[in-house]
Amino acid sequence: MQRPYNFSPGPSTLPIAVLERAALELLNWPDEDGKPCGMSVMEMSHRGSEFISIYRKAMANLRTLLAVPDHFKILFLQGGALLQNSVVPLNLCTSPESVVAFVRTGAWSGKSLIEASRYCLAKCAVNAEINGCFTSIPNPATWEIANDAEYVHICSNETIHGVEFHELPDLKKLGSKAELVVDCSSDIASGPMDWTRIGLAFAGAQKNLGIAGLTLVFVREDLLGRAQKICPEVMNYTIQSENESMLNTPPTYAIYMAGLVFEWLLSEGGLLAMQKKNKEKARLLYATIDNSSYYSNNVDSECRSLMNVPFYIQDKAKLEAFLHGATQHGLLGLKGHKSVGGLRASLFNAMTLAGTESLVAYLKWFELENAS
Ligand SMILES: *Cc1c(COP(=O)(O)O)cnc(C)c1O
């Protein structure tokens, strides 16, 4: 049976090889030597040798995959990326009066700013919103970063508005001493990451690296040890790092699934290979949109997202017909976010070129049938 192609923004499509392996191992997880252990991963103690081996292997593979330097700690936490909007200032700001600069390039960085303002003095360094739309990233040289800002928060890929940083800003070059904090929930592992520019990065796993329940945090060692007193213990990076993220029960199955995705990504050639494939898929879809007067995407070409492509059809009244037809053609999850309407196709690592070609063929067919 041919499975439909799922363009959902998250939780999102997973590699079929990962799902098949998880199914195979569901009832009786086999260890490294292939010896069945008699339990499902879901039933294991997180302190037992079986799960510890799953955990350590996932951690090591993630470090290899993303080329994370040794002076960064990797944490496997819970609460989703959204909780990090509170947890980052609680860990990095020494007091509620500490200043933090936010680069507002879409819905997610906007949310981060509002939430962080409970725990620090959150200032907007730049607001890219124009007439309710986000379609560009203002040149970092124009950002107004306060001199005393402890960190600058960016969202490397705005999942709703389809605006992506293809290069991280170099804050040192801008003359700022602030650290860079990156919410990379929707473009983590879509290509190599420049750790020399990053102080802290976080991401929910359910978009590009696995299933819901696991949140990844990468924090440079020298930023540990400054958490505010009210920071909850399970969200204290220093304490979690000292406890291998196992102060309490971690999301064991989500860690296992992410581990399978890390192995899959490595076997596919790693992040450079992924980036090449992602560029090809995005090029195909944007070209189809740009070459038609029936579909549109208004994001500046230099910051168009490779992962999430929001677009509109000329005739709004045909939206439901478009989505209905798409489902019949085996294309799922194309409805745009309710705050912006229209359509959105998410092209995460696990989306194949064949899936993207199938979407493009449907777009062309629908236009022929419906354009006036
Ligand atoms: C999905 C998303 C979030 C929220 O993630 P949760 O894990 O649901 O909390 C935050 N930031 C970005 C960029 C996202 O795409």
Side-chain angles (χ1 to χ4, degrees):
M1 188 195 81
Q2 160 87 31
R3 294 178 89 223
Y5 294 111
N6 176 7
F7 295 90
S8 162
S12 47
T13 190
L14 286 161
I16 191 87
V18 165
L19 292 173
E20 283 171 346
R21 175 139 169 228
L24 204 67
E25 298 181 350
L26 186 73
L27 294 183
N28 202 344
W29 179 80
D31 68 13
E32 289 285 274
D33 307 320
K35 193 170 140 278
C37 76
M39 294 177 280
S40 167
V41 174
M42 286 180 256
E43 303 168 301
M44 292 173 185
S45 162
H46 59 295
R47 313 257 179 228
S49 61
E50 294 90 353
F51 184 74
I52 296 287
S53 76
I54 291 172
Y55 170 93
R56 296 235 166 101
K57 190 170 169 195
M59 207 35 119
N61 279 337
L62 178 60
R63 200 176 274 283
T64 306
L65 181 70
L66 293 178
V68 184
D70 287 342
H71 62 290
F72 277 78
K73 297 283 186 203
I74 305 177
L75 307 175
F76 286 169
L77 304 179
Q78 306 193 52
L82 213 55
L83 185 59
Q84 293 303 313
N85 290 335
S86 319
V87 173
V88 174
L90 281 170
N91 275 278
L92 296 194
C93 295
T94 41
S95 93
E97 275 78 50
S98 300
V99 173
V100 176
F102 286 81
V103 176
R104 190 165 176 261
T105 53
W108 288 110
S109 48
K111 258 184 196 283
S112 300
L113 190 165
I114 292 168
E115 185 65 13
S117 64
R118 299 158 174 273
Y119 308 100
C120 64
L121 270 175
K123 294 186 180 170
C124 192
V126 57
N127 182 8
E129 183 174 9
I130 297 171
N131 297 330
C133 297
F134 292 93
T135 55
S136 64
I137 297 178
N139 185 337
T142 67
W143 298 357
E144 292 172 17
I145 304 170
N147 285 333
D148 52 352
E150 307 227 350
Y151 67 88
V152 175
H153 174 114
I154 67 166
C155 174
S156 55
N157 183 58
E158 289 283 358
T159 322
I160 294 172
H161 290 92
V163 173
E164 183 173 15
F165 281 83
H166 294 300
E167 190 192 352
L168 294 177
D170 185 346
L171 296 182
K172 276 195 205 84
K173 215 165 136 195
L174 296 174
S176 169
K177 291 195 295 285
E179 299 295 342
L180 185 68
V181 168
V182 187
D183 174 0
C184 53
S185 292
S186 53
D187 66 351
I188 186 168
S190 62
M193 280 168 88
D194 185 353
W195 294 103
T196 64
R197 298 190 175 175
I198 297 172
L200 185 146
F202 65 88
Q206 72 274 19
K207 276 139 191 175
N208 219 6
L209 284 179
I211 63 172
L214 171 65
T215 311
L216 306 164
V217 174
F218 306 84
V219 55
R220 223 179 51 226
E221 267 169 3
D222 60 291
L223 298 176
L224 294 174
R226 34 160 130 169
Q228 291 180 42
K229 209 171 161 192
I230 54 159
C231 179
E233 196 179 27
V234 288
M235 288 296 149
N236 184 308
Y237 298 147
T238 311
I239 297 175
Q240 280 290 19
S241 146
E242 285 163 2
N243 287 277
E244 276 196 273
S245 307
M246 292 210 213
L247 188 67
N248 63 338
T249 317
T252 51
Y253 200 74
I255 291 171
Y256 161 76
M257 285 298 289
L260 295 187
V261 174
F262 304 156
E263 278 183 56
W264 176 78
L265 286 167
L266 288 167
S267 75
E268 290 287 301
L271 299 192
L272 275 173
M274 276 302 136
Q275 187 177 50
K276 190 162 167 249
K277 191 177 126 189
N278 290 331
K279 281 185 176 167
E280 178 56 18
K281 290 181 293 180
R283 191 198 57 74
L284 191 64
L285 180 52
Y286 284 115
T288 306
I289 293 169
D290 291 343
N291 291 334
S292 119
S293 51
Y294 191 66
Y295 303 105
S296 63
N297 166 291
N298 300 327
V299 178
D300 285 359
S301 55
E302 60 289 7
C303 58
R304 278 176 160 181
S305 171
L306 299 186
M307 295 282 98
N308 311 95
V309 182
F311 60 102
Y312 293 95
I313 48 177
Q314 200 182 52
D315 184 0
K316 266 192 201 157
K318 297 263 168 72
L319 196 70
E320 282 311 314
F322 179 99
L323 290 168
H324 182 72
T327 304
Q328 286 185 322
H329 283 77
L331 306 166
L332 310 179
L334 289 164
K335 193 170 180 161
H337 190 269
K338 58 183 187 298
S339 65
V340 292
L343 298 154
R344 169 173 51 172
S346 296
L347 306 175
F348 294 120
N349 287 340
M351 176 51 62
T352 56
L353 184 61
T356 314
E357 284 167 347
S358 186
L359 173 63
V360 160
Y362 175 69
L363 256 66
K364 289 179 178 165
W365 175 82
F366 191 85
E367 177 176 356
L368 273 181
E369 294 283 304
N370 293 278
S372 42

